[in-house]
Amino acid sequence: MSQQWEYKTLEPPKGLTKRETVDPTDELNRLGADGWELTETISYDGGGTKLLVFKRPVPHE
């Protein structure tokens, strides 16, 4: 049986100006502790990160 994955996206938190990204270290560490791995970023055409894409293995029951 091949490995199955589940996916999650996270929009990087924005600061008061809505332009600068707030440091997401705490959130990334929490997701990592839950087994999520950052696999890709999806960016706006004009620059800047729109979404962070995570995946983790689906547990076999």
Side-chain angles (χ1 to χ4, degrees):
M1 182 180 201
S2 65
Q3 178 64 58
Q4 295 183 346
W5 301 95
E6 63 179 323
Y7 295 88
K8 177 182 193 78
T9 58
L10 173 70
E11 186 175 0
K14 305 291 182 200
L16 295 175
T17 64
K18 304 292 185 200
R19 292 183 182 192
E20 286 93 25
T21 301
V22 175
D23 184 354
T25 299
D26 290 339
E27 180 70 9
L28 293 173
N29 284 328
R30 185 186 66 73
L31 289 168
D34 288 341
W36 293 101
E37 177 183 4
L38 177 64
T39 59
E40 183 177 2
T41 60
I42 299 173
S43 299
Y44 291 105
D45 288 336
T49 300
K50 182 175 182 179
L51 293 172
L52 305 175
V53 181
F54 298 83
K55 74 175 186 179
R56 69 177 175 186
V58 173
H60 296 286
E61 296 182 14

